[in-house]
Amino acid sequence: MESSRGTTRRHLSTSPFKPRVPDPIKTFEVGDRVSHDREGIGRIHAVEGTHAVVVDLGGGKLLRVVSPFDKLHVL
């Protein structure tokens, strides 16, 4: 269940629970083969910093995917 707050609570050092660790940022390079959950398999065509990538899905179809890259996986 997610919190209804817009922010997350800070971790107390006296808490018996482990602090929430953020997911590592996914990085891609031009030419990497990737799989998109909805669109299928493609190849990284261009990288726009850490904010977006352009995926060539074949047949002239390009897909721009912005960060976070939850639906994009390196093969």
PDB file of all heavy atoms in Angstrom, residues 38-69:
ATOM      1  N   ARG A  38       5.767  -3.629 -23.955  1.00  0.00           N
ATOM      2  CA  ARG A  38       4.591  -3.533 -24.817  1.00  0.00           C
ATOM      3  C   ARG A  38       4.936  -3.575 -26.302  1.00  0.00           C
ATOM      4  O   ARG A  38       4.205  -4.160 -27.100  1.00  0.00           O
ATOM      5  CB  ARG A  38       3.829  -2.241 -24.502  1.00  0.00           C
ATOM      6  CG  ARG A  38       2.486  -2.160 -25.207  1.00  0.00           C
ATOM      7  CD  ARG A  38       1.709  -0.939 -24.797  1.00  0.00           C
ATOM      8  NE  ARG A  38       2.445   0.253 -25.204  1.00  0.00           N
ATOM      9  CZ  ARG A  38       2.429   1.391 -24.540  1.00  0.00           C
ATOM     10  NH1 ARG A  38       1.738   1.523 -23.448  1.00  0.00           N
ATOM     11  NH2 ARG A  38       3.112   2.426 -24.979  1.00  0.00           N
ATOM     12  N   GLU A  39       6.069  -2.971 -26.702  1.00  0.00           N
ATOM     13  CA  GLU A  39       6.403  -2.816 -28.116  1.00  0.00           C
ATOM     14  C   GLU A  39       7.244  -3.950 -28.692  1.00  0.00           C
ATOM     15  O   GLU A  39       7.302  -4.116 -29.895  1.00  0.00           O
ATOM     16  CB  GLU A  39       7.112  -1.484 -28.336  1.00  0.00           C
ATOM     17  CG  GLU A  39       6.287  -0.279 -27.957  1.00  0.00           C
ATOM     18  CD  GLU A  39       5.054  -0.097 -28.821  1.00  0.00           C
ATOM     19  OE1 GLU A  39       5.062  -0.501 -29.993  1.00  0.00           O
ATOM     20  OE2 GLU A  39       4.076   0.460 -28.298  1.00  0.00           O
ATOM     21  N   GLY A  40       7.962  -4.694 -27.847  1.00  0.00           N
ATOM     22  CA  GLY A  40       8.750  -5.821 -28.336  1.00  0.00           C
ATOM     23  C   GLY A  40      10.241  -5.547 -28.343  1.00  0.00           C
ATOM     24  O   GLY A  40      10.746  -4.709 -27.603  1.00  0.00           O
ATOM     25  N   ILE A  41      10.962  -6.266 -29.221  1.00  0.00           N
ATOM     26  CA  ILE A  41      12.417  -6.214 -29.261  1.00  0.00           C
ATOM     27  C   ILE A  41      12.889  -5.153 -30.243  1.00  0.00           C
ATOM     28  O   ILE A  41      12.320  -4.984 -31.310  1.00  0.00           O
ATOM     29  CB  ILE A  41      12.980  -7.590 -29.644  1.00  0.00           C
ATOM     30  CG1 ILE A  41      12.634  -8.599 -28.552  1.00  0.00           C
ATOM     31  CG2 ILE A  41      14.483  -7.541 -29.854  1.00  0.00           C
ATOM     32  CD1 ILE A  41      13.033 -10.006 -28.855  1.00  0.00           C
ATOM     33  N   GLY A  42      13.965  -4.464 -29.856  1.00  0.00           N
ATOM     34  CA  GLY A  42      14.537  -3.442 -30.719  1.00  0.00           C
ATOM     35  C   GLY A  42      15.987  -3.208 -30.377  1.00  0.00           C
ATOM     36  O   GLY A  42      16.604  -3.966 -29.627  1.00  0.00           O
ATOM     37  N   ARG A  43      16.537  -2.137 -30.948  1.00  0.00           N
ATOM     38  CA  ARG A  43      17.935  -1.783 -30.730  1.00  0.00           C
ATOM     39  C   ARG A  43      17.992  -0.286 -30.421  1.00  0.00           C
ATOM     40  O   ARG A  43      17.279   0.506 -31.027  1.00  0.00           O
ATOM     41  CB  ARG A  43      18.737  -2.103 -31.988  1.00  0.00           C
ATOM     42  CG  ARG A  43      20.229  -1.983 -31.807  1.00  0.00           C
ATOM     43  CD  ARG A  43      20.999  -2.463 -33.026  1.00  0.00           C
ATOM     44  NE  ARG A  43      20.777  -3.869 -33.328  1.00  0.00           N
ATOM     45  CZ  ARG A  43      21.499  -4.879 -32.821  1.00  0.00           C
ATOM     46  NH1 ARG A  43      22.462  -4.630 -31.986  1.00  0.00           N
ATOM     47  NH2 ARG A  43      21.248  -6.123 -33.169  1.00  0.00           N
ATOM     48  N   ILE A  44      18.866   0.091 -29.464  1.00  0.00           N
ATOM     49  CA  ILE A  44      19.011   1.498 -29.098  1.00  0.00           C
ATOM     50  C   ILE A  44      19.580   2.263 -30.293  1.00  0.00           C
ATOM     51  O   ILE A  44      20.630   1.934 -30.808  1.00  0.00           O
ATOM     52  CB  ILE A  44      19.931   1.666 -27.874  1.00  0.00           C
ATOM     53  CG1 ILE A  44      19.362   0.940 -26.657  1.00  0.00           C
ATOM     54  CG2 ILE A  44      20.155   3.143 -27.567  1.00  0.00           C
ATOM     55  CD1 ILE A  44      18.067   1.509 -26.118  1.00  0.00           C
ATOM     56  N   HIS A  45      18.846   3.274 -30.730  1.00  0.00           N
ATOM     57  CA  HIS A  45      19.223   4.085 -31.884  1.00  0.00           C
ATOM     58  C   HIS A  45      19.965   5.345 -31.446  1.00  0.00           C
ATOM     59  O   HIS A  45      20.926   5.759 -32.090  1.00  0.00           O
ATOM     60  CB  HIS A  45      17.963   4.450 -32.675  1.00  0.00           C
ATOM     61  CG  HIS A  45      18.206   5.271 -33.888  1.00  0.00           C
ATOM     62  ND1 HIS A  45      18.795   4.757 -35.006  1.00  0.00           N
ATOM     63  CD2 HIS A  45      17.948   6.574 -34.143  1.00  0.00           C
ATOM     64  CE1 HIS A  45      18.877   5.710 -35.924  1.00  0.00           C
ATOM     65  NE2 HIS A  45      18.371   6.829 -35.415  1.00  0.00           N
ATOM     66  N   ALA A  46      19.521   5.957 -30.341  1.00  0.00           N
ATOM     67  CA  ALA A  46      20.141   7.176 -29.828  1.00  0.00           C
ATOM     68  C   ALA A  46      19.921   7.268 -28.322  1.00  0.00           C
ATOM     69  O   ALA A  46      18.930   6.765 -27.802  1.00  0.00           O
ATOM     70  CB  ALA A  46      19.557   8.408 -30.506  1.00  0.00           C
ATOM     71  N   VAL A  47      20.883   7.886 -27.643  1.00  0.00           N
ATOM     72  CA  VAL A  47      20.785   8.100 -26.196  1.00  0.00           C
ATOM     73  C   VAL A  47      20.782   9.598 -25.951  1.00  0.00           C
ATOM     74  O   VAL A  47      21.653  10.310 -26.435  1.00  0.00           O
ATOM     75  CB  VAL A  47      21.976   7.440 -25.459  1.00  0.00           C
ATOM     76  CG1 VAL A  47      21.905   7.723 -23.971  1.00  0.00           C
ATOM     77  CG2 VAL A  47      22.014   5.951 -25.725  1.00  0.00           C
ATOM     78  N   GLU A  48      19.786  10.071 -25.199  1.00  0.00           N
ATOM     79  CA  GLU A  48      19.664  11.492 -24.877  1.00  0.00           C
ATOM     80  C   GLU A  48      19.999  11.696 -23.399  1.00  0.00           C
ATOM     81  O   GLU A  48      19.120  11.912 -22.579  1.00  0.00           O
ATOM     82  CB  GLU A  48      18.257  11.980 -25.198  1.00  0.00           C
ATOM     83  CG  GLU A  48      17.878  11.816 -26.656  1.00  0.00           C
ATOM     84  CD  GLU A  48      16.421  12.138 -26.927  1.00  0.00           C
ATOM     85  OE1 GLU A  48      15.711  12.569 -25.990  1.00  0.00           O
ATOM     86  OE2 GLU A  48      16.001  11.951 -28.074  1.00  0.00           O
ATOM     87  N   GLY A  49      21.282  11.582 -23.061  1.00  0.00           N
ATOM     88  CA  GLY A  49      21.723  11.707 -21.670  1.00  0.00           C
ATOM     89  C   GLY A  49      21.153  10.583 -20.829  1.00  0.00           C
ATOM     90  O   GLY A  49      21.111   9.436 -21.255  1.00  0.00           O
ATOM     91  N   THR A  50      20.737  10.902 -19.621  1.00  0.00           N
ATOM     92  CA  THR A  50      20.114   9.902 -18.750  1.00  0.00           C
ATOM     93  C   THR A  50      18.607  10.048 -18.741  1.00  0.00           C
ATOM     94  O   THR A  50      17.928   9.376 -17.982  1.00  0.00           O
ATOM     95  CB  THR A  50      20.634  10.048 -17.301  1.00  0.00           C
ATOM     96  OG1 THR A  50      20.345  11.368 -16.835  1.00  0.00           O
ATOM     97  CG2 THR A  50      22.119   9.779 -17.231  1.00  0.00           C
ATOM     98  N   HIS A  51      18.072  10.923 -19.608  1.00  0.00           N
ATOM     99  CA  HIS A  51      16.648  11.241 -19.577  1.00  0.00           C
ATOM    100  C   HIS A  51      15.811  10.440 -20.559  1.00  0.00           C
ATOM    101  O   HIS A  51      14.643  10.174 -20.301  1.00  0.00           O
ATOM    102  CB  HIS A  51      16.431  12.732 -19.830  1.00  0.00           C
ATOM    103  CG  HIS A  51      17.187  13.595 -18.877  1.00  0.00           C
ATOM    104  ND1 HIS A  51      16.894  13.652 -17.544  1.00  0.00           N
ATOM    105  CD2 HIS A  51      18.244  14.412 -19.065  1.00  0.00           C
ATOM    106  CE1 HIS A  51      17.725  14.480 -16.946  1.00  0.00           C
ATOM    107  NE2 HIS A  51      18.565  14.953 -17.848  1.00  0.00           N
ATOM    108  N   ALA A  52      16.372  10.069 -21.708  1.00  0.00           N
ATOM    109  CA  ALA A  52      15.577   9.384 -22.725  1.00  0.00           C
ATOM    110  C   ALA A  52      16.470   8.600 -23.675  1.00  0.00           C
ATOM    111  O   ALA A  52      17.658   8.892 -23.820  1.00  0.00           O
ATOM    112  CB  ALA A  52      14.744  10.397 -23.517  1.00  0.00           C
ATOM    113  N   VAL A  53      15.876   7.590 -24.304  1.00  0.00           N
ATOM    114  CA  VAL A  53      16.544   6.834 -25.361  1.00  0.00           C
ATOM    115  C   VAL A  53      15.569   6.667 -26.513  1.00  0.00           C
ATOM    116  O   VAL A  53      14.351   6.692 -26.326  1.00  0.00           O
ATOM    117  CB  VAL A  53      17.028   5.443 -24.885  1.00  0.00           C
ATOM    118  CG1 VAL A  53      18.113   5.562 -23.845  1.00  0.00           C
ATOM    119  CG2 VAL A  53      15.887   4.607 -24.370  1.00  0.00           C
ATOM    120  N   VAL A  54      16.116   6.499 -27.713  1.00  0.00           N
ATOM    121  CA  VAL A  54      15.297   6.236 -28.889  1.00  0.00           C
ATOM    122  C   VAL A  54      15.580   4.803 -29.306  1.00  0.00           C
ATOM    123  O   VAL A  54      16.730   4.418 -29.503  1.00  0.00           O
ATOM    124  CB  VAL A  54      15.623   7.212 -30.037  1.00  0.00           C
ATOM    125  CG1 VAL A  54      14.805   6.884 -31.274  1.00  0.00           C
ATOM    126  CG2 VAL A  54      15.372   8.649 -29.591  1.00  0.00           C
ATOM    127  N   VAL A  55      14.519   4.003 -29.428  1.00  0.00           N
ATOM    128  CA  VAL A  55      14.640   2.591 -29.758  1.00  0.00           C
ATOM    129  C   VAL A  55      14.150   2.370 -31.180  1.00  0.00           C
ATOM    130  O   VAL A  55      13.052   2.803 -31.540  1.00  0.00           O
ATOM    131  CB  VAL A  55      13.822   1.714 -28.781  1.00  0.00           C
ATOM    132  CG1 VAL A  55      13.952   0.255 -29.129  1.00  0.00           C
ATOM    133  CG2 VAL A  55      14.249   1.973 -27.349  1.00  0.00           C
ATOM    134  N   ASP A  56      14.963   1.697 -31.994  1.00  0.00           N
ATOM    135  CA  ASP A  56      14.587   1.318 -33.355  1.00  0.00           C
ATOM    136  C   ASP A  56      13.934  -0.059 -33.272  1.00  0.00           C
ATOM    137  O   ASP A  56      14.583  -1.039 -32.930  1.00  0.00           O
ATOM    138  CB  ASP A  56      15.820   1.276 -34.250  1.00  0.00           C
ATOM    139  CG  ASP A  56      15.494   0.930 -35.692  1.00  0.00           C
ATOM    140  OD1 ASP A  56      14.295   0.842 -36.031  1.00  0.00           O
ATOM    141  OD2 ASP A  56      16.449   0.752 -36.472  1.00  0.00           O
ATOM    142  N   LEU A  57      12.637  -0.121 -33.566  1.00  0.00           N
ATOM    143  CA  LEU A  57      11.895  -1.368 -33.469  1.00  0.00           C
ATOM    144  C   LEU A  57      11.848  -2.126 -34.792  1.00  0.00           C
ATOM    145  O   LEU A  57      11.252  -3.189 -34.882  1.00  0.00           O
ATOM    146  CB  LEU A  57      10.471  -1.096 -32.975  1.00  0.00           C
ATOM    147  CG  LEU A  57      10.393  -0.463 -31.591  1.00  0.00           C
ATOM    148  CD1 LEU A  57       8.979  -0.013 -31.297  1.00  0.00           C
ATOM    149  CD2 LEU A  57      10.884  -1.430 -30.536  1.00  0.00           C
ATOM    150  N   GLY A  58      12.486  -1.584 -35.820  1.00  0.00           N
ATOM    151  CA  GLY A  58      12.489  -2.229 -37.129  1.00  0.00           C
ATOM    152  C   GLY A  58      11.352  -1.699 -37.981  1.00  0.00           C
ATOM    153  O   GLY A  58      10.337  -1.207 -37.485  1.00  0.00           O
ATOM    154  N   GLY A  59      11.516  -1.811 -39.269  1.00  0.00           N
ATOM    155  CA  GLY A  59      10.481  -1.332 -40.177  1.00  0.00           C
ATOM    156  C   GLY A  59      10.315   0.172 -40.158  1.00  0.00           C
ATOM    157  O   GLY A  59       9.245   0.684 -40.481  1.00  0.00           O
ATOM    158  N   GLY A  60      11.355   0.899 -39.741  1.00  0.00           N
ATOM    159  CA  GLY A  60      11.276   2.352 -39.712  1.00  0.00           C
ATOM    160  C   GLY A  60      10.534   2.919 -38.521  1.00  0.00           C
ATOM    161  O   GLY A  60      10.297   4.111 -38.443  1.00  0.00           O
ATOM    162  N   LYS A  61      10.145   2.067 -37.574  1.00  0.00           N
ATOM    163  CA  LYS A  61       9.407   2.528 -36.403  1.00  0.00           C
ATOM    164  C   LYS A  61      10.383   2.852 -35.272  1.00  0.00           C
ATOM    165  O   LYS A  61      11.149   1.993 -34.845  1.00  0.00           O
ATOM    166  CB  LYS A  61       8.427   1.449 -35.938  1.00  0.00           C
ATOM    167  CG  LYS A  61       7.560   1.885 -34.794  1.00  0.00           C
ATOM    168  CD  LYS A  61       6.522   0.827 -34.455  1.00  0.00           C
ATOM    169  CE  LYS A  61       5.685   1.286 -33.282  1.00  0.00           C
ATOM    170  NZ  LYS A  61       4.736   0.255 -32.870  1.00  0.00           N
ATOM    171  N   LEU A  62      10.375   4.115 -34.819  1.00  0.00           N
ATOM    172  CA  LEU A  62      11.215   4.564 -33.713  1.00  0.00           C
ATOM    173  C   LEU A  62      10.331   4.868 -32.515  1.00  0.00           C
ATOM    174  O   LEU A  62       9.227   5.387 -32.659  1.00  0.00           O
ATOM    175  CB  LEU A  62      12.016   5.808 -34.097  1.00  0.00           C
ATOM    176  CG  LEU A  62      13.028   5.645 -35.226  1.00  0.00           C
ATOM    177  CD1 LEU A  62      13.671   6.993 -35.548  1.00  0.00           C
ATOM    178  CD2 LEU A  62      14.081   4.636 -34.871  1.00  0.00           C
ATOM    179  N   LEU A  63      10.834   4.536 -31.337  1.00  0.00           N
ATOM    180  CA  LEU A  63      10.088   4.754 -30.103  1.00  0.00           C
ATOM    181  C   LEU A  63      10.989   5.506 -29.137  1.00  0.00           C
ATOM    182  O   LEU A  63      12.105   5.063 -28.856  1.00  0.00           O
ATOM    183  CB  LEU A  63       9.667   3.415 -29.491  1.00  0.00           C
ATOM    184  CG  LEU A  63       9.012   3.456 -28.125  1.00  0.00           C
ATOM    185  CD1 LEU A  63       7.625   4.091 -28.228  1.00  0.00           C
ATOM    186  CD2 LEU A  63       8.888   2.054 -27.560  1.00  0.00           C
ATOM    187  N   ARG A  64      10.513   6.657 -28.636  1.00  0.00           N
ATOM    188  CA  ARG A  64      11.272   7.420 -27.635  1.00  0.00           C
ATOM    189  C   ARG A  64      10.762   7.020 -26.261  1.00  0.00           C
ATOM    190  O   ARG A  64       9.582   7.128 -25.962  1.00  0.00           O
ATOM    191  CB  ARG A  64      11.092   8.916 -27.858  1.00  0.00           C
ATOM    192  CG  ARG A  64      11.920   9.758 -26.923  1.00  0.00           C
ATOM    193  CD  ARG A  64      11.865  11.229 -27.325  1.00  0.00           C
ATOM    194  NE  ARG A  64      12.762  12.020 -26.525  1.00  0.00           N
ATOM    195  CZ  ARG A  64      12.393  12.694 -25.435  1.00  0.00           C
ATOM    196  NH1 ARG A  64      11.144  12.676 -25.041  1.00  0.00           N
ATOM    197  NH2 ARG A  64      13.288  13.386 -24.755  1.00  0.00           N
ATOM    198  N   VAL A  65      11.674   6.537 -25.412  1.00  0.00           N
ATOM    199  CA  VAL A  65      11.331   6.103 -24.060  1.00  0.00           C
ATOM    200  C   VAL A  65      12.035   7.030 -23.085  1.00  0.00           C
ATOM    201  O   VAL A  65      13.241   7.228 -23.165  1.00  0.00           O
ATOM    202  CB  VAL A  65      11.776   4.638 -23.823  1.00  0.00           C
ATOM    203  CG1 VAL A  65      11.386   4.181 -22.427  1.00  0.00           C
ATOM    204  CG2 VAL A  65      11.190   3.717 -24.870  1.00  0.00           C
ATOM    205  N   VAL A  66      11.263   7.602 -22.151  1.00  0.00           N
ATOM    206  CA  VAL A  66      11.828   8.527 -21.171  1.00  0.00           C
ATOM    207  C   VAL A  66      12.050   7.814 -19.844  1.00  0.00           C
ATOM    208  O   VAL A  66      11.442   6.787 -19.547  1.00  0.00           O
ATOM    209  CB  VAL A  66      10.924   9.765 -20.982  1.00  0.00           C
ATOM    210  CG1 VAL A  66      10.869  10.589 -22.248  1.00  0.00           C
ATOM    211  CG2 VAL A  66       9.546   9.377 -20.545  1.00  0.00           C
ATOM    212  N   SER A  67      12.944   8.390 -19.042  1.00  0.00           N
ATOM    213  CA  SER A  67      13.258   7.841 -17.729  1.00  0.00           C
ATOM    214  C   SER A  67      12.065   8.009 -16.795  1.00  0.00           C
ATOM    215  O   SER A  67      11.357   9.005 -16.905  1.00  0.00           O
ATOM    216  CB  SER A  67      14.463   8.588 -17.167  1.00  0.00           C
ATOM    217  OG  SER A  67      14.804   8.119 -15.907  1.00  0.00           O
ATOM    218  N   PRO A  68      11.761   7.099 -15.904  1.00  0.00           N
ATOM    219  CA  PRO A  68      12.454   5.852 -15.588  1.00  0.00           C
ATOM    220  C   PRO A  68      12.132   4.778 -16.624  1.00  0.00           C
ATOM    221  O   PRO A  68      11.034   4.736 -17.175  1.00  0.00           O
ATOM    222  CB  PRO A  68      11.906   5.463 -14.212  1.00  0.00           C
ATOM    223  CG  PRO A  68      10.523   6.017 -14.196  1.00  0.00           C
ATOM    224  CD  PRO A  68      10.604   7.297 -15.022  1.00  0.00           C
ATOM    225  N   PHE A  69      13.086   3.937 -16.887  1.00  0.00           N
ATOM    226  CA  PHE A  69      12.971   2.936 -17.939  1.00  0.00           C
ATOM    227  C   PHE A  69      12.416   1.625 -17.376  1.00  0.00           C
ATOM    228  O   PHE A  69      13.024   0.576 -17.507  1.00  0.00           O
ATOM    229  CB  PHE A  69      14.342   2.703 -18.582  1.00  0.00           C
ATOM    230  CG  PHE A  69      14.997   3.968 -19.067  1.00  0.00           C
ATOM    231  CD1 PHE A  69      16.072   4.508 -18.391  1.00  0.00           C
ATOM    232  CD2 PHE A  69      14.524   4.610 -20.187  1.00  0.00           C
ATOM    233  CE1 PHE A  69      16.688   5.668 -18.853  1.00  0.00           C
ATOM    234  CE2 PHE A  69      15.111   5.774 -20.649  1.00  0.00           C
ATOM    235  CZ  PHE A  69      16.206   6.301 -19.968  1.00  0.00           C
TER     236      PHE A  69
END
